[in-house]
C-alpha cells in the first residue's frame, strides 16, 4: 500500500513521544485514529533520517515497529511504570526519580547514594565529620561494627562490608568529584543497587559496643 493510500485511511495522528530524538534513527510513539475504527492506536516505530531537496532533515517511517490499541498500550504502561515503586526504596523515589525523569542522571545517582550515607549517620549517631566510605566501614566493620549483623558468618560480614563500601565508592564518589557521562539505564541500575543497600540498612539494628 502506498503512502497516499495509507494516509487516506487516517483520520488524524500525533507524535506523543520520541526516543533518540535528533538521532539518525529515532523511535517515535504516535497516536493514530483510523477512519474505519472508533478506537485510537499507538504506533511505535523506528524512523530513518534523510534530507529533502533543500538539505533540511526529514524522517521516514521504516517497517521496524508495531501498532496496537491505545487501551492495551495504557494497560501495559501502567503495569510497568508502577513496578519501580514496588521495589525501589521510597526515600530514593523521593530523592532521585524526579531527577531521573528530567535527564539529570548523574545527580539522581548521587542523591540515591547520599541517602545511604545520611541514613547510616543517623542510625549510629555519627558526627557530621564522619563521611563516605570511612563512615560505612565504621558502621559495618565485621568485628566491631555498630550495624553489623553478627548472626552472619564472619566471611559474609566481611563480604557485605566490602560490598556496601565498594558500591558507594565506585558509584557515588565519581559523581561527587567529576563529571560522569551515564545514560538512563546505567543510572537506574545504580539507583536499584542503592535501594537494595538502603533496605538492608533499614533492617540493621544498632549494637552497643
Amino acid at each position: 500500500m502506498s503512502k497516499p493510500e495509507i494516509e487516506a485511511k487516517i483520520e488524524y495522528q500525533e507524535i506523543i513521544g520520541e526516543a533518540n530524538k535528533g538521532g539518525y534513527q529515532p523511535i517515535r510513539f504516535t497516536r493514530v485514529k483510523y477512519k474505519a475504527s472508533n478506537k485510537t492506536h499507538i504506533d511505535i516505530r523506528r524512523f530513518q533520517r534523510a534530507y529533502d531537496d533543500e538539505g533540511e532533515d526529514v524522517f521516514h517511517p521504516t517497517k521496524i515497529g508495531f501498532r496496537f490499541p491505545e487501551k492495551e498500550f495504557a494497560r501495559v504502561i501502567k503495569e510497568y511504570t508502577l513496578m519501580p515503586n514496588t521495589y525501589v526504596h521510597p526515600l530514593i523515589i523521593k530523592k532521585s526519580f524526579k531527577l531521573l525523569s528530567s535527564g539529570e542522571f548523574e545527580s539522581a545517582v548521587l542523591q540515591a547514594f547520599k541517602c545511604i550515607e545520611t541514613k547510616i549517620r543517623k542510625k549510629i549517631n555519627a558526627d557530621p565529620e564522619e563521611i563516605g566510605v570511612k563512615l560505612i566501614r565504621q558502621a559495618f566493620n565485621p568485628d566491631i561494627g555498630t550495624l553489623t549483623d553478627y548472626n552472619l558468618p564472619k566471611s559474609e560480614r566481611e563480604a557485605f562490608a566490602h560490598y556496601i563500601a565498594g558500591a558507594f565508592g565506585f558509584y557515588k564518589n565519581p559523581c561527587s568529584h567529576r563529571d560522569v557521562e551515564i545514560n538512563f539505564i546505567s543510572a537506574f541500575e545504580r539507583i536499584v543497587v542503592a535501594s537494595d543497600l538502603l533496605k538492608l540498612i533499614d533492617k540493621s539494628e544498632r549494637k552497643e559496643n
Side-chain angles (χ1 to χ4, degrees):
M1 186 178 294
S2 67
K3 182 178 179 181
E5 289 175 321
I6 294 174
E7 291 178 344
K9 295 177 178 291
I10 295 175
E11 183 175 327
Y12 69 84
Q13 60 181 338
E14 60 176 329
I15 298 173
I16 59 174
E18 186 169 352
N20 193 28
K21 188 174 183 179
Y24 282 97
Q25 292 186 322
I27 306 296
R28 287 184 175 175
F29 294 71
T30 306
R31 178 180 288 112
V32 183
K33 172 67 171 62
Y34 294 96
K35 295 176 181 178
S37 173
N38 60 357
K39 298 178 180 179
T40 55
H41 290 70
I42 299 297
D43 184 89
I44 303 175
R45 189 162 305 279
R46 178 184 293 175
F47 280 68
Q48 178 66 52
R49 187 168 75 176
Y51 302 96
D52 61 17
D53 294 337
E54 298 179 354
E56 298 294 328
D57 290 348
V58 292
F59 292 89
H60 301 295
T62 70
K63 294 182 179 180
I64 302 174
F66 53 92
R67 179 182 303 140
F68 48 93
E70 184 170 7
K71 184 177 180 180
E72 181 65 14
F73 175 78
R75 184 190 66 79
V76 172
I77 290 297
K78 181 179 180 181
E79 178 179 344
Y80 284 95
T81 54
L82 286 177
M83 185 172 63
N85 293 345
T86 66
Y87 68 83
V88 175
H89 194 286
L91 181 58
I92 289 180
I93 291 174
K94 179 181 178 181
K95 295 287 187 178
S96 296
F97 269 35
K98 187 175 181 179
L99 293 167
L100 192 65
S101 63
S102 64
E104 299 177 67
F105 305 135
E106 183 182 356
S107 296
V109 173
L110 181 62
Q111 288 299 318
F113 280 89
K114 185 178 176 182
C115 290
I116 290 174
E117 188 173 14
T118 55
K119 179 60 70 77
I120 290 175
R121 184 180 294 109
K122 182 177 180 180
K123 290 200 77 164
I124 69 173
N125 295 323
D127 294 331
E129 293 77 17
E130 297 290 340
I131 61 173
V133 171
K134 181 180 179 181
L135 172 70
I136 293 170
R137 291 288 188 187
Q138 174 187 336
F140 290 99
N141 183 295
D143 295 317
I144 59 172
T146 309
L147 299 181
T148 299
D149 183 357
Y150 293 103
N151 293 317
L152 297 175
K154 184 173 181 178
S155 61
E156 293 182 21
R157 301 199 303 266
E158 290 175 339
F160 182 73
H162 292 319
Y163 171 50
I164 186 171
F168 187 92
F170 186 70
Y171 288 141
K172 188 266 185 186
N173 284 352
C175 294
S176 299
H177 305 304
R178 63 177 186 270
D179 292 332
V180 179
E181 294 294 331
I182 54 177
N183 58 26
F184 177 89
I185 298 299
S186 295
F188 187 74
E189 288 173 343
R190 297 176 189 200
I191 285 170
V192 169
V193 171
S195 173
D196 176 53
L197 292 172
L198 194 57
K199 290 177 184 178
L200 292 171
I201 294 167
D202 280 345
K203 294 177 182 178
S204 63
E205 297 180 359
R206 178 183 170 89
K207 291 90 176 173
E208 298 296 338
N209 294 324

